[in-house]
Amino acid sequence: MGRVRKSLIVGVLVVAVVGGGFGLYWFQPWKLWQDETVDEALPVAVGTSAPSATADPSAPSATADPSAPAGPRILARGELISQEHDTSGTVKLVRLADGSHVVRLENLDTSNGPDLRVWLTDAPVKKDTAGWRVFDDGRYVSLGKLKGNKGSQNYVVPADLDLTQYSSVSIWCDRFDVSFGAAELAQA
């Protein structure tokens, strides 16, 4: 009887340790107390590079398109509202001088969490728990991992995306399929 009891205790301890390790990996609770601040400036252009040092100085340089706007232009904006976690800040859809687009998060303040993404979506923004899970029901595109849970940051919008099909931005937790916060975009 003593041998069976020891085996049972060891088995329960192994299951508890493995389960606890899996739970820690899956939930990553320490991230709730870790903040990552990112403060990026609004880019002038996306995907441009400096001229090559070996370029021919006598070659004619490319001229800017005179019909292009002189600088960044805000096309739409919205205020983040809290959903799964307290979230605040401003979202802007910006067209840069080169015609490319970025989603800019300004003064973002949300909880850190596992596998957070910035999504451009067609879902309506609903307050509190009513809006937790709506963003993956329709059309959405991930603009990448959230760079930091605080500060200002930019996310490049794919060039071939039809922006008329998207009306909101969500800070989406891919691990748990829930929105931390979202903003309805209104034309600026």
Side-chain angles (χ1 to χ4, degrees):
M1 185 90 141
R3 182 178 253 186
V4 171
R5 186 174 177 184
K6 280 185 180 180
S7 295
L8 182 61
I9 290 172
V10 168
V12 167
L13 287 174
V14 167
V15 168
V17 168
V18 169
F22 178 76
L24 286 173
Y25 167 77
W26 189 252
F27 288 98
Q28 298 178 359
W30 57 87
K31 285 194 171 187
L32 291 174
W33 296 280
Q34 294 176 335
D35 289 329
E36 189 166 343
T37 302
V38 174
D39 282 314
E40 294 180 330
L42 183 63
V44 176
V46 175
T48 60
S49 60
S52 169
T54 60
D56 180 2
S58 65
S61 62
T63 57
D65 178 4
S67 65
R73 187 169 145 232
I74 299 169
L75 302 177
R77 68 178 339 131
E79 293 298 318
L80 286 162
I81 64 167
S82 299
Q83 291 177 318
E84 171 66 20
H85 291 269
D86 286 339
T87 302
S88 62
T90 303
V91 176
K92 296 178 180 176
L93 175 60
V94 181
R95 181 173 55 215
L96 302 177
D98 67 354
S100 61
H101 295 87
V102 295
V103 166
R104 179 160 174 81
L105 305 178
E106 290 183 343
N107 303 312
L108 173 66
D109 188 2
T110 190
S111 297
N112 207 342
D115 207 11
L116 295 179
R117 309 285 172 153
V118 177
W119 279 13
L120 193 55
T121 80
D122 67 350
V125 175
K126 299 176 183 178
K127 288 188 175 200
D128 303 318
T129 58
W132 281 12
R133 302 186 191 282
V134 300
F135 297 100
D136 60 350
D137 293 345
R139 185 185 326 255
Y140 63 89
V141 62
S142 177
L143 301 179
K145 287 190 172 204
L146 187 68
K147 297 172 185 176
N149 64 309
K150 296 190 180 301
S152 298
Q153 47 211 274
N154 307 299
Y155 296 87
V156 176
V157 176
D160 60 348
L161 205 61
D162 178 2
L163 292 173
T164 63
Q165 301 296 311
Y166 300 90
S167 59
S168 60
V169 171
S170 171
I171 307 301
W172 184 258
C173 179
D174 225 15
R175 171 90 32 99
F176 295 105
D177 292 330
V178 68
S179 177
F180 274 34
E184 191 82 35
L185 294 173
Q187 286 189 334

